[in-house]
Short mmCIF file of all heavy atoms in Angstrom, two decimals:
data_model
loop_
_atom_site.label_atom_id
_atom_site.label_comp_id
_atom_site.label_asym_id
_atom_site.label_seq_id
_atom_site.Cartn_x
_atom_site.Cartn_y
_atom_site.Cartn_z
N SER A 1 -34.85 -12.13 33.00
CA SER A 1 -33.92 -11.12 33.51
C SER A 1 -32.82 -10.95 32.49
O SER A 1 -32.70 -11.59 31.46
CB SER A 1 -33.27 -11.52 34.79
OG SER A 1 -32.30 -12.62 34.57
N THR A 2 -31.89 -10.03 32.74
CA THR A 2 -30.84 -9.67 31.82
C THR A 2 -29.65 -10.71 31.95
O THR A 2 -28.69 -10.63 31.23
CB THR A 2 -30.28 -8.26 32.10
OG1 THR A 2 -29.81 -8.23 33.51
CG2 THR A 2 -31.39 -7.13 31.92
N GLY A 3 -29.78 -11.61 33.05
CA GLY A 3 -28.70 -12.50 33.27
C GLY A 3 -27.71 -11.90 34.29
O GLY A 3 -27.72 -10.64 34.52
N SER A 4 -26.91 -12.72 34.87
CA SER A 4 -25.94 -12.20 35.94
C SER A 4 -24.56 -12.19 35.51
O SER A 4 -23.70 -12.16 36.44
CB SER A 4 -26.17 -13.12 37.23
OG SER A 4 -25.84 -14.53 36.73
N GLU A 5 -24.28 -12.18 34.28
CA GLU A 5 -22.90 -12.04 33.79
C GLU A 5 -22.68 -11.16 32.60
O GLU A 5 -23.68 -10.99 31.80
CB GLU A 5 -22.26 -13.42 33.61
CG GLU A 5 -22.68 -14.17 32.49
CD GLU A 5 -21.92 -15.51 32.24
OE1 GLU A 5 -21.44 -16.00 33.14
OE2 GLU A 5 -21.95 -16.00 31.06
N LEU A 6 -21.54 -10.70 32.47
CA LEU A 6 -21.08 -9.88 31.26
C LEU A 6 -19.94 -10.62 30.65
O LEU A 6 -18.99 -11.07 31.43
CB LEU A 6 -20.77 -8.41 31.68
CG LEU A 6 -20.18 -7.48 30.65
CD1 LEU A 6 -21.46 -7.08 29.71
CD2 LEU A 6 -19.60 -6.29 31.31
N VAL A 7 -19.77 -10.73 29.32
CA VAL A 7 -18.59 -11.31 28.72
C VAL A 7 -17.73 -10.22 28.23
O VAL A 7 -18.13 -9.44 27.43
CB VAL A 7 -19.05 -12.24 27.61
CG1 VAL A 7 -17.85 -12.74 26.82
CG2 VAL A 7 -19.90 -13.40 28.07
N LEU A 8 -16.48 -10.22 28.71
CA LEU A 8 -15.43 -9.23 28.25
C LEU A 8 -14.60 -9.97 27.15
O LEU A 8 -14.22 -11.06 27.41
CB LEU A 8 -14.67 -8.77 29.33
CG LEU A 8 -15.27 -8.01 30.46
CD1 LEU A 8 -14.26 -7.62 31.56
CD2 LEU A 8 -16.04 -6.84 29.91
N ALA A 9 -14.34 -9.34 26.02
CA ALA A 9 -13.68 -9.97 24.98
C ALA A 9 -12.59 -9.03 24.46
O ALA A 9 -12.77 -8.32 23.42
CB ALA A 9 -14.67 -10.39 23.84
N PRO A 10 -11.45 -8.98 25.01
CA PRO A 10 -10.33 -8.18 24.42
C PRO A 10 -9.91 -8.91 23.15
O PRO A 10 -9.83 -10.16 23.02
CB PRO A 10 -9.15 -8.30 25.42
CG PRO A 10 -9.51 -9.45 26.32
CD PRO A 10 -11.02 -9.63 26.27
N TYR A 11 -9.39 -8.07 22.20
CA TYR A 11 -9.12 -8.68 20.79
C TYR A 11 -8.07 -8.01 20.10
O TYR A 11 -7.73 -6.79 20.35
CB TYR A 11 -10.34 -8.86 19.93
CG TYR A 11 -10.96 -7.62 19.50
CD1 TYR A 11 -10.53 -6.85 18.39
CD2 TYR A 11 -12.12 -7.13 20.18
CE1 TYR A 11 -11.15 -5.67 18.03
CE2 TYR A 11 -12.79 -5.93 19.77
CZ TYR A 11 -12.31 -5.27 18.75
OH TYR A 11 -12.93 -4.12 18.39
N LEU A 12 -7.33 -8.62 19.14
CA LEU A 12 -6.30 -8.03 18.33
C LEU A 12 -6.83 -8.31 16.91
O LEU A 12 -7.23 -9.48 16.46
CB LEU A 12 -4.97 -8.65 18.43
CG LEU A 12 -3.90 -8.43 17.46
CD1 LEU A 12 -3.45 -6.85 17.52
CD2 LEU A 12 -2.67 -9.33 17.69
N GLY A 13 -6.89 -7.21 16.12
CA GLY A 13 -7.35 -7.40 14.65
C GLY A 13 -6.39 -6.83 13.73
O GLY A 13 -5.73 -5.82 14.02
N VAL A 14 -6.33 -7.37 12.49
CA VAL A 14 -5.53 -6.84 11.40
C VAL A 14 -6.29 -6.74 10.04
O VAL A 14 -7.26 -7.53 9.90
CB VAL A 14 -4.23 -7.66 11.15
CG1 VAL A 14 -3.31 -7.64 12.43
CG2 VAL A 14 -4.65 -9.15 10.75
N VAL A 15 -6.03 -5.75 9.25
CA VAL A 15 -6.72 -5.68 7.94
C VAL A 15 -5.71 -5.28 6.84
O VAL A 15 -4.78 -4.59 7.11
CB VAL A 15 -7.80 -4.60 8.12
CG1 VAL A 15 -7.18 -3.17 8.48
CG2 VAL A 15 -8.66 -4.42 6.78
N TRP A 16 -5.99 -5.81 5.62
CA TRP A 16 -5.11 -5.60 4.53
C TRP A 16 -5.91 -5.50 3.25
O TRP A 16 -6.88 -6.32 3.19
CB TRP A 16 -4.02 -6.75 4.46
CG TRP A 16 -3.29 -6.84 3.22
CD1 TRP A 16 -2.13 -6.12 2.84
CD2 TRP A 16 -3.63 -7.54 2.02
NE1 TRP A 16 -1.75 -6.47 1.61
CE2 TRP A 16 -2.64 -7.39 1.04
CE3 TRP A 16 -4.65 -8.49 1.76
CZ2 TRP A 16 -2.76 -8.05 -0.18
CZ3 TRP A 16 -4.76 -9.19 0.51
CH2 TRP A 16 -3.69 -8.86 -0.44
N ALA A 17 -5.49 -4.61 2.29
CA ALA A 17 -6.21 -4.59 1.02
C ALA A 17 -5.21 -3.98 0.03
O ALA A 17 -4.48 -3.06 0.31
CB ALA A 17 -7.44 -3.62 1.20
N GLU A 18 -5.38 -4.38 -1.25
CA GLU A 18 -4.68 -3.84 -2.32
C GLU A 18 -5.49 -4.05 -3.63
O GLU A 18 -6.47 -4.76 -3.71
CB GLU A 18 -3.31 -4.58 -2.40
CG GLU A 18 -3.27 -5.98 -2.90
CD GLU A 18 -1.84 -6.57 -3.10
OE1 GLU A 18 -0.98 -5.94 -2.64
OE2 GLU A 18 -1.81 -7.49 -3.85
N GLY A 19 -4.95 -3.34 -4.66
CA GLY A 19 -5.60 -3.51 -5.95
C GLY A 19 -6.84 -2.47 -6.03
O GLY A 19 -7.87 -2.88 -6.48
N GLU A 20 -6.59 -1.24 -5.62
CA GLU A 20 -7.63 -0.29 -5.50
C GLU A 20 -8.23 0.18 -6.90
O GLU A 20 -7.51 0.05 -7.93
CB GLU A 20 -7.17 0.87 -4.67
CG GLU A 20 -6.19 1.77 -5.43
CD GLU A 20 -5.84 2.96 -4.50
OE1 GLU A 20 -6.77 3.44 -3.80
OE2 GLU A 20 -4.70 3.47 -4.67
N PHE A 21 -9.47 0.62 -6.88
CA PHE A 21 -10.14 1.26 -7.93
C PHE A 21 -10.13 2.79 -7.81
O PHE A 21 -10.53 3.29 -6.83
CB PHE A 21 -11.55 0.78 -8.13
CG PHE A 21 -11.69 -0.57 -8.47
CD1 PHE A 21 -11.58 -1.63 -7.51
CD2 PHE A 21 -11.93 -1.05 -9.76
CE1 PHE A 21 -11.64 -3.00 -7.82
CE2 PHE A 21 -12.15 -2.42 -10.13
CZ PHE A 21 -12.00 -3.35 -9.12
N SER A 22 -9.57 3.52 -8.80
CA SER A 22 -9.44 4.95 -8.69
C SER A 22 -10.79 5.65 -8.56
O SER A 22 -11.00 6.71 -8.04
CB SER A 22 -8.79 5.54 -9.90
OG SER A 22 -9.39 5.24 -11.04
N GLU A 23 -11.89 4.98 -9.07
CA GLU A 23 -13.27 5.54 -9.13
C GLU A 23 -13.94 5.33 -7.68
O GLU A 23 -15.01 5.95 -7.48
CB GLU A 23 -14.20 4.92 -10.19
CG GLU A 23 -13.56 4.93 -11.58
CD GLU A 23 -12.66 3.78 -11.86
OE1 GLU A 23 -12.33 3.03 -10.88
OE2 GLU A 23 -12.32 3.49 -13.08
N LEU A 24 -13.46 4.51 -6.84
CA LEU A 24 -14.19 4.12 -5.57
C LEU A 24 -13.42 4.84 -4.36
O LEU A 24 -12.23 5.12 -4.40
CB LEU A 24 -14.24 2.66 -5.38
CG LEU A 24 -14.98 1.95 -6.50
CD1 LEU A 24 -14.91 0.40 -6.22
CD2 LEU A 24 -16.45 2.34 -6.58
N ALA A 25 -14.22 4.88 -3.29
CA ALA A 25 -13.69 5.67 -2.11
C ALA A 25 -12.69 4.79 -1.27
O ALA A 25 -11.85 5.35 -0.64
CB ALA A 25 -14.89 6.03 -1.25
N TRP A 26 -12.94 3.48 -1.30
CA TRP A 26 -12.00 2.66 -0.47
C TRP A 26 -10.62 2.50 -1.18
O TRP A 26 -10.45 2.49 -2.42
CB TRP A 26 -12.54 1.27 -0.17
CG TRP A 26 -13.46 0.66 -1.25
CD1 TRP A 26 -13.00 -0.20 -2.24
CD2 TRP A 26 -14.86 0.77 -1.42
NE1 TRP A 26 -14.15 -0.54 -3.02
CE2 TRP A 26 -15.27 0.05 -2.48
CE3 TRP A 26 -15.90 1.50 -0.66
CZ2 TRP A 26 -16.58 -0.04 -2.97
CZ3 TRP A 26 -17.14 1.45 -1.14
CH2 TRP A 26 -17.47 0.62 -2.19
N GLU A 27 -9.56 2.53 -0.39
CA GLU A 27 -8.17 2.55 -0.81
C GLU A 27 -7.37 1.28 -0.37
O GLU A 27 -7.77 0.57 0.52
CB GLU A 27 -7.50 3.75 -0.22
CG GLU A 27 -8.30 5.14 -0.54
CD GLU A 27 -7.63 6.25 0.15
OE1 GLU A 27 -6.88 6.11 1.06
OE2 GLU A 27 -8.07 7.41 -0.12
N GLU A 28 -6.20 1.22 -0.84
CA GLU A 28 -5.28 0.15 -0.40
C GLU A 28 -4.71 0.59 1.07
O GLU A 28 -4.70 1.75 1.30
CB GLU A 28 -4.08 0.13 -1.31
CG GLU A 28 -4.33 -0.39 -2.72
CD GLU A 28 -3.12 -0.47 -3.59
OE1 GLU A 28 -2.07 0.20 -3.19
OE2 GLU A 28 -3.17 -1.21 -4.64
N THR A 29 -4.42 -0.42 1.73
CA THR A 29 -3.87 -0.16 3.16
C THR A 29 -2.42 0.20 3.13
O THR A 29 -1.91 0.69 4.25
CB THR A 29 -4.18 -1.41 4.03
OG1 THR A 29 -3.53 -2.58 3.44
CG2 THR A 29 -5.67 -1.60 4.23
N ASP A 30 -1.73 -0.09 2.10
CA ASP A 30 -0.22 0.12 2.17
C ASP A 30 0.38 -0.68 3.28
O ASP A 30 1.16 -0.19 4.11
CB ASP A 30 0.12 1.63 2.27
CG ASP A 30 1.57 1.95 2.01
OD1 ASP A 30 2.15 1.08 1.31
OD2 ASP A 30 2.03 2.96 2.56
N GLY A 31 0.12 -1.97 3.21
CA GLY A 31 0.65 -2.79 4.29
C GLY A 31 -0.51 -3.27 5.19
O GLY A 31 -1.71 -3.16 4.89
N VAL A 32 -0.13 -3.88 6.39
CA VAL A 32 -1.09 -4.39 7.31
C VAL A 32 -1.44 -3.37 8.35
O VAL A 32 -0.48 -2.74 8.95
CB VAL A 32 -0.63 -5.65 8.01
CG1 VAL A 32 -1.59 -6.15 9.08
CG2 VAL A 32 -0.54 -6.82 6.91
N ARG A 33 -2.65 -3.09 8.68
CA ARG A 33 -3.01 -2.11 9.75
C ARG A 33 -3.64 -3.02 10.96
O ARG A 33 -4.20 -4.06 10.75
CB ARG A 33 -4.16 -1.22 9.27
CG ARG A 33 -3.72 -0.30 8.09
CD ARG A 33 -4.85 0.50 7.64
NE ARG A 33 -5.47 1.31 8.59
CZ ARG A 33 -5.02 2.59 8.78
NH1 ARG A 33 -4.03 3.10 8.10
NH2 ARG A 33 -5.62 3.40 9.78
N THR A 34 -3.30 -2.49 12.14
CA THR A 34 -3.56 -3.20 13.28
C THR A 34 -4.53 -2.52 14.26
O THR A 34 -4.52 -1.28 14.45
CB THR A 34 -2.26 -3.46 14.12
OG1 THR A 34 -1.30 -4.08 13.25
CG2 THR A 34 -2.54 -4.49 15.36
N VAL A 35 -5.48 -3.25 14.83
CA VAL A 35 -6.45 -2.61 15.84
C VAL A 35 -6.41 -3.45 17.18
O VAL A 35 -6.31 -4.66 17.12
CB VAL A 35 -7.84 -2.70 15.23
CG1 VAL A 35 -8.89 -2.53 16.32
CG2 VAL A 35 -8.08 -1.73 14.10
N LEU A 36 -6.43 -2.75 18.33
CA LEU A 36 -6.59 -3.26 19.60
C LEU A 36 -8.03 -3.01 20.02
O LEU A 36 -8.36 -1.80 19.91
CB LEU A 36 -5.58 -2.87 20.55
CG LEU A 36 -4.17 -3.12 20.26
CD1 LEU A 36 -3.29 -2.48 21.41
CD2 LEU A 36 -3.97 -4.61 20.27
N GLY A 37 -8.72 -3.96 20.57
CA GLY A 37 -10.17 -3.69 20.93
C GLY A 37 -10.61 -4.44 22.14
O GLY A 37 -9.92 -5.37 22.64
N LEU A 38 -11.88 -4.07 22.56
CA LEU A 38 -12.51 -4.69 23.67
C LEU A 38 -14.00 -4.86 23.28
O LEU A 38 -14.64 -3.82 23.00
CB LEU A 38 -12.37 -3.96 24.94
CG LEU A 38 -13.17 -4.47 26.14
CD1 LEU A 38 -12.60 -5.86 26.54
CD2 LEU A 38 -13.05 -3.52 27.39
#
């Protein structure tokens, strides 16, 4: 069977990056960015 329970997982996440390359698409974050999720 699929089982009789579901796991709910609220979370808080942060991401940071610096030292970008001008030739690439990814960029610096200019500080810390925050995500709320489930």
Side-chain angles (χ1 to χ4, degrees):
S1 73
T2 59
S4 58
E5 71 177 23
L6 178 75
V7 176
L8 298 180
Y11 63 84
L12 169 69
V14 294
V15 61
W16 165 85
E18 69 173 21
E20 69 178 331
F21 292 80
S22 59
E23 305 90 345
L24 300 177
W26 34 92
E27 304 172 349
E28 296 181 341
T29 56
D30 191 23
V32 175
R33 296 176 62 89
T34 306
V35 166
L36 296 178
L38 175 66

